[in-house]
Amino acid sequence: RVADPAGGVSFDDYCRIVRAAIALPGCEGLGLHVGRRISPLDHGIMGYAIVASSTFRRALTRAVRFWPVTAPPFTAELDLDGNDPQVRLYRKETVPTDLEPYFLEEALGGFLQLATELGSEEVWRARVQVAYPAPDYADAYAQVLKAEVEFDAPTHKLYPDAQMLDKPLIHANREAAKMFEAQCDTILRRMTGGDMLVDQIRSIVVN
């Protein structure tokens, strides 16, 4: 399969690869570094819709809304109202529990990389909560994520800086964002059988 350019890797195979990789000496916290190397543009149309957003609030809203397109290992809930905005992540049942730390690290690193490429890395200078005990390499979380990290929390959560959410982004392009968002909506509807009227109303409200 590796030699076949048109071939793919199943999730089960990917899990086996990850287990082998994180067992190697010096690979502690591998997910954090993998996540930092994933550009939002690696996700195609979804990434372009996010990068063209006018503010981090809109970028984050689009990222969570269209995340299912990438078949992520977590589901996400977004609450950006009030003075305590947060992103909550929940492991999908298909994700092995022993690999939850790796996949969460990858997701957290990816969120930081998203903010970095949008020119708003400081938006995450708040805190992160992780719903499992601190690993031996716990210091790597704070070093890579550049945030205060709390382990053994009830739920995985990221807390963006409320004051940074509406900061204008450097690649903002309203027309491009709307065009890419419409294409993402089409893909998502095909995947989920979503309600077109609900999607249209949501698009009007967001934009």
Side-chain angles (χ1 to χ4, degrees):
R1 263 178 291 186
V2 174
D4 181 4
V9 177
S10 70
F11 183 68
D12 287 342
D13 285 343
Y14 183 63
C15 286
R16 281 191 282 271
I17 293 170
V18 169
R19 282 194 183 94
I22 61 178
L24 296 172
C27 286
E28 298 83 3
L30 178 64
L32 294 167
H33 300 285
V34 171
R36 285 305 316 260
R37 285 164 175 74
I38 299 176
S39 167
L41 299 183
D42 291 337
H43 297 301
I45 292 296
M46 185 190 81
Y48 285 100
I50 294 169
V51 170
S53 298
S54 58
T55 64
F56 194 77
R57 181 187 302 273
R58 290 187 174 179
L60 197 53
T61 298
R62 288 183 171 120
V64 170
R65 177 181 167 195
F66 296 127
W67 204 19
V69 172
T70 68
F74 295 89
T75 57
E77 293 180 355
L78 188 64
D79 182 359
L80 298 182
D81 297 326
N83 296 321
D84 193 33
Q86 56 188 256
V87 183
R88 296 180 291 274
L89 301 177
Y90 302 94
R91 178 182 63 86
K92 290 184 177 179
E93 293 184 358
T94 54
V95 176
T97 55
D98 66 307
L99 292 182
E100 182 173 5
Y102 170 84
F103 284 113
L104 182 69
E105 291 167 8
E106 187 179 292
L108 295 175
F111 274 110
L112 177 59
Q113 186 59 28
L114 166 64
T116 300
E117 295 194 23
L118 292 177
S120 294
E121 183 174 301
E122 63 269 29
V123 77
W124 291 129
R125 287 182 184 169
R127 67 189 192 278
V128 174
Q129 291 183 328
V130 176
Y132 49 74
D136 294 339
Y137 55 91
D139 290 347
Y141 279 70
Q143 293 170 2
V144 174
L145 299 177
K146 303 177 182 180
E148 177 185 340
V149 182
E150 175 189 343
F151 292 93
D152 268 334
T155 308
H156 303 314
K157 291 183 182 180
L158 296 85
Y159 293 87
D161 186 338
Q163 296 182 348
M164 295 298 301
L165 287 176
D166 295 310
K167 174 184 175 181
L169 298 180
I170 57 176
H171 302 299
N173 187 317
R174 181 182 177 87
E175 294 307 313
K178 291 175 66 176
M179 178 183 68
F180 292 130
E181 184 176 52
Q183 295 180 51
C184 289
D185 274 329
T186 299
I187 296 171
L188 200 57
R189 281 197 298 272
R190 289 172 180 169
M191 293 176 59
T192 64
D195 188 315
M196 184 175 294
L197 178 59
V198 171
D199 288 338
Q200 290 174 341
I201 292 174
R202 182 188 295 114
S203 180
I204 292 172
V205 172
V206 170
N207 291 293

